[in-house]
Amino acid sequence: MIAAAAALALLAAYPASASSRKSTYISWHTNGTPAIRADLSVTWLDNDEVNDMDLTVRDYKCDDRGGYATLSLQIRTGFGDTGNTGTIGSRLNSGGCGSTVTQRDRSYGTSWYTADVSQIYSAKLTLCINGGSCYYQFIDNPYNDDPASSNG
């Protein structure tokens, strides 16, 4: 009976960490009207693991100014190096006139991908317009324990 009470007290002292769902978007307009939009949602699990990453591109106009979106992660390796992972998944091209294209359920974490990553600072959403510029937004990792790495 005492052992069971001690086990319950131990569980209460170390609750399981909750996941944290975050989202951002970039909307590009022509003549005040939305033309193309990229949305990103991620679920942070820990300082080095993220899953359920959903990337969507919507092309609202029937013109030749489509674009594409990419998702990358800003990381620190176990060797102290910082940088980006590169694109997670493939480049997501807009489908043209009134289309919506989505990649769902991308995951990244040290548990299965690479043992070199010790910290994921943020997820980076990039939207590039054909024949134009690229724009980006970050979703900071709420479990990040390194304040010097903040994007904002």
Side-chain angles (χ1 to χ4, degrees), residues 23-97:
S23 299
T24 193
Y25 71 93
I26 302 169
S27 185
W28 186 73
H29 294 72
T30 58
N31 300 323
T33 304
I36 191 167
R37 176 178 165 136
D39 292 88
L40 174 63
S41 295
V42 301
T43 301
W44 295 103
L45 301 177
D46 202 342
N47 70 335
D48 63 356
E49 191 170 6
V50 60
N51 75 12
D52 195 22
M53 295 184 285
D54 299 332
L55 177 62
T56 299
V57 176
R58 293 177 179 87
D59 194 337
Y60 295 109
K61 290 198 159 197
C62 297
D63 60 13
D64 61 349
R65 297 296 303 266
Y68 64 90
T70 61
L71 162 63
S72 59
L73 298 175
Q74 184 182 13
I75 63 169
R76 172 179 286 155
T77 69
F79 304 106
D81 300 323
T82 59
N84 291 323
T85 61
T87 302
I88 303 296
S90 58
R91 184 172 106 167
L92 189 59
N93 294 301
S94 66
C97 192

Side-chain angles (χ1 to χ4, degrees), residues 19-20 42-53 73 107-113 117-121 141-143:
S19 62
S20 178
V42 301
T43 301
W44 295 103
L45 301 177
D46 202 342
N47 70 335
D48 63 356
E49 191 170 6
V50 60
N51 75 12
D52 195 22
M53 295 184 285
L73 298 175
S107 296
Y108 186 92
T110 59
S111 59
W112 64 270
Y113 195 82
V117 174
S118 64
Q119 180 76 51
I120 302 173
Y121 299 130
N141 183 346
Y143 299 104

Side-chain angles (χ1 to χ4, degrees), residues 2-23:
I2 294 174
L8 283 176
L10 183 61
L11 287 174
Y14 297 99
S17 62
S19 62
S20 178
R21 185 83 171 155
K22 303 288 182 180
S23 299

